[in-house]
Amino acid sequence: MTTPARNNHASSVQIQEPRTRSPLHPPSPIAFKEQQGRPPSTTQQTIAGKLFRNLFKGLLFSQLTLISLLVIVLTIRGLILASSHHFHPKKWYPPLLASVAVSGVASLAWQCIFIYTPPRAVRATFWLTPILTCSVGILLVLIGSAVDAGVGAVFVLFAITQSLYGCWITPRLEYTDKILSLATAFPPARTREVATLSIFTSVVYSCFLVTGIGGATSTRTSLDLLFISVILISLAWTMQALKNAQQVAISRARYVNFAHGEDMDAWSALHVTVKHLTGSICIGSTLVPIIVLIRGSIRSVNLMSGSSDEVMYTGADCFSTLANKLITCGNRWGFVHVGTYDKGFVEASSDTWKKFRSNNGLEKVIDSDLTSSLCFLSAVSVGAVSSLTAGIWMLLIHKDYAFEVTLYAFIIGYFVGRVALAWLQACVLAYYVAYSEDPQNMRFDGTIPQRIQRLQVLRAHQDNREQHEVGRERRESDESP
């Protein structure tokens, strides 16, 4: 993967960094193990840990097999019974299959923009996503029914929320530009091939599941609705596993370079990941979305409880303690240690977060990082483009199917978009983890220390302002009769 010439924020330290083994830093054990396959395990794996890994690995392949059989049966049944249930496969399938293909093309295009112009890509994501999301909402309202209009209103509200969020995080965009440019300045060899293969796999698998959804739609029984729900849940978990497999592989290769100055091929890292680490990846793919949802809800409650009421304050403090505990049980940064040291996912998550906390101020930097928001909104953009493609097409040829096809296209496009940018998030994860383990490493510049200092200054100003407000309120209460 060639290095783009426009990556202006990459530090001179990294650009001039030799790709040889320094005598002051012993060679990474990963480099010696690369050709042998399995990454070195730093801890003795427990029987329970191995059992859970094998269990989740078995669940992944079992559900893939069962879902494949279900899709084949539903597709055949749907084609046989289509005429008797007034289902039109030639009108239902082409828009949705075309939208899946469009999501793949959009993901590749979005990826190229991030490679060559990260700052523009960051700003385009935060400003373009609300427009596309609002367009989907308007499209759903135009379909006509009350349910469609209600869901469309939700999309419009979501777009407004995105716009407000984009305005709120504007001061953080400059740091995000720098950290993305630094982390992706020298991606591992064959990263583009791994990312392209992942996108292609996600598109093909999604098209396969679409045939099953269409087969279930043809008869529209209550049991078919259950089948469609099961297929969509399988899609979500499989896409998460595919995304995280890519993250583990590329973050492993990138970590070796950041920590030890050695090169590792992303393709070889992916082969090792799929062969040996699938169980841990499946565990992480299950835990991380749940923990992110719970923690995000807790943080929202804390923001809304900005009250002086003692009960509210106590509740918010309790929620914060729970959120801080959950993040050590499962977080995306743990995938770096899963790939590098063959740790169990929970152990890897705990170890990486402890490292963040051991570096003064780093946890705040990590917690306010915009990379995950960037990848999420980018995926929403891809999903919106996909849903607009299918929805407009279906609205023109068969309005009765427009609502469901638009939603299916959005869901599939979103997951394809998440898979597409997994390599970018993997590079940032590896950068933070490698920095936390050796902040004095000469391969890192002053970007993170300057950010820590900036956040500490802002925090000090905020504390002074709060103390001033409290003192003013006390003086006013003392002066009042």
Side-chain angles (χ1 to χ4, degrees):
M1 189 171 188
T2 56
T3 303
R6 298 184 185 178
N7 211 337
N8 298 324
H9 287 297
S11 69
S12 58
V13 175
Q14 285 194 329
I15 293 176
Q16 298 173 4
E17 176 243 320
R19 301 302 183 102
T20 58
R21 296 170 184 169
S22 169
L24 298 177
H25 294 85
S28 164
I30 318 305
F32 294 118
K33 293 284 185 178
E34 179 181 1
Q35 298 303 324
Q36 299 176 22
R38 192 179 187 88
S41 178
T42 58
T43 58
Q44 185 68 31
Q45 298 179 15
T46 63
I47 296 177
K50 292 181 180 179
L51 178 63
F52 274 105
R53 290 189 188 194
N54 292 331
L55 175 62
F56 274 83
K57 183 178 181 179
L59 284 175
L60 175 67
F61 291 112
S62 297
Q63 69 91 16
L64 286 175
T65 303
L66 294 174
I67 287 295
S68 298
L69 293 174
L70 176 63
V71 167
I72 292 172
V73 171
L74 290 175
T75 302
I76 296 174
R77 190 199 65 173
L79 294 175
I80 295 174
L81 301 177
S83 58
S84 61
H85 289 82
H86 306 289
F87 179 70
H88 304 281
K90 293 182 179 180
K91 293 182 179 180
W92 195 92
Y93 282 112
L96 189 51
L97 292 174
S99 71
V100 177
V102 167
S103 70
V105 175
S107 297
L108 288 172
W110 209 258
Q111 189 174 181
C112 292
I113 296 173
F114 270 104
I115 291 174
Y116 292 104
T117 57
R120 292 183 180 179
V122 170
R123 281 156 180 78
T125 298
F126 285 107
W127 292 110
L128 187 61
T129 304
I131 297 174
L132 292 173
T133 306
C134 185
S135 300
V136 175
I138 294 173
L139 174 63
L140 291 173
V141 171
L142 291 177
I143 292 175
S145 71
V147 175
D148 302 342
V151 177
V154 172
F155 271 85
V156 173
L157 181 61
F158 184 34
I160 295 173
T161 305
Q162 293 171 16
S163 300
L164 295 175
Y165 179 74
C167 296
W168 181 53
I169 53 87
T170 298
R172 289 190 266 168
L173 292 180
E174 182 180 358
Y175 171 75
T176 302
D177 295 342
K178 291 181 179 180
I179 207 70
L180 281 176
S181 298
L182 289 171
T184 61
F186 298 105
R190 306 184 73 179
T191 296
R192 182 176 297 175
E193 296 176 27
V194 171
T196 303
L197 175 65
S198 299
I199 295 173
F200 179 77
T201 303
S202 63
V203 169
V204 171
Y205 183 68
S206 298
C207 288
F208 173 67
L209 294 188
V210 162
T211 62
I213 295 175
T217 304
S218 64
T219 53
R220 296 176 179 273
T221 65
S222 57
L223 187 60
D224 289 323
L225 294 178
L226 176 62
F227 289 152
I228 293 174
S229 301
V230 170
I231 291 174
L232 292 177
I233 293 172
S234 173
L235 170 71
W237 193 42
T238 304
M239 289 295 198
Q240 283 287 332
L242 179 61
K243 172 179 75 73
N244 291 331
Q246 188 184 167
Q247 281 192 345
V248 169
I250 295 178
S251 65
R252 177 192 180 196
R254 201 71 182 103
Y255 173 90
V256 169
N257 177 249
F258 285 136
H260 305 283
E262 299 169 356
D263 289 328
M264 178 179 288
D265 185 89
W267 195 264
S268 300
L270 180 64
H271 178 264
V272 174
T273 298
V274 173
K275 185 176 180 180
H276 297 291
L277 305 175
T278 303
S280 294
I281 291 170
C282 292
I283 294 174
S285 301
T286 305
L287 289 179
V288 170
I290 296 173
I291 292 176
V292 167
L293 177 62
I294 296 174
R295 193 163 181 261
S297 302
I298 291 174
R299 295 178 71 173
S300 300
V301 170
N302 289 344
L303 287 175
M304 291 185 294
S305 63
S307 170
S308 58
D309 184 80
E310 185 176 353
V311 176
M312 290 289 289
Y313 178 81
T314 304
D317 188 58
C318 179
F319 284 139
S320 297
T321 303
L322 177 60
N324 290 334
K325 180 63 177 177
L326 284 174
I327 196 66
T328 62
C329 298
N331 57 73
R332 64 183 65 91
W333 292 271
F335 285 119
V336 181
H337 275 199
V338 168
T340 306
Y341 299 115
D342 191 21
K343 293 181 180 179
F345 179 74
V346 175
E347 179 191 3
S349 300
S350 177
D351 290 348
T352 51
W353 204 258
K354 286 177 181 177
K355 278 291 184 182
F356 294 155
R357 287 177 174 172
S358 66
N359 289 272
N360 184 33
L362 182 58
E363 184 181 4
K364 292 294 183 183
V365 174
I366 297 292
D367 217 21
S368 63
D369 181 65
L370 292 178
T371 306
S372 59
S373 299
L374 187 65
C375 293
F376 169 75
L377 292 177
S378 298
V380 170
S381 295
V382 174
V385 171
S386 178
S387 63
L388 288 171
T389 301
I392 294 174
W393 186 344
M394 191 61 76
L395 193 62
L396 295 176
I397 65 172
H398 203 298
K399 190 176 180 180
D400 292 341
Y401 298 144
F403 174 69
E404 61 191 62
V405 168
T406 300
L407 292 185
Y408 294 151
F410 180 84
I411 293 170
I412 293 173
Y414 168 79
F415 284 113
V416 173
R418 290 308 301 257
V419 170
L421 289 181
W423 72 271
L424 182 145
Q425 190 167 23
C427 291
V428 176
L429 298 180
Y431 189 90
Y432 278 124
V433 173
Y435 177 86
S436 69
E437 294 178 355
D438 187 10
Q440 307 303 321
N441 193 320
M442 293 300 295
R443 296 180 185 87
F444 301 110
D445 63 3
T447 301
I448 293 181
Q450 290 169 8
R451 182 62 179 171
I452 292 175
Q453 185 178 11
R454 172 65 176 167
L455 291 179
Q456 290 174 341
V457 170
L458 292 175
R459 181 62 184 174
H461 288 169
Q462 182 180 355
D463 291 342
N464 290 336
R465 192 182 307 114
E466 290 176 355
Q467 291 177 2
H468 177 74
E469 289 293 330
V470 171
R472 185 175 59 83
E473 291 176 0
R474 288 178 178 176
R475 287 194 298 271
E476 290 177 354
S477 62
D478 292 341
E479 293 173 357
S480 61

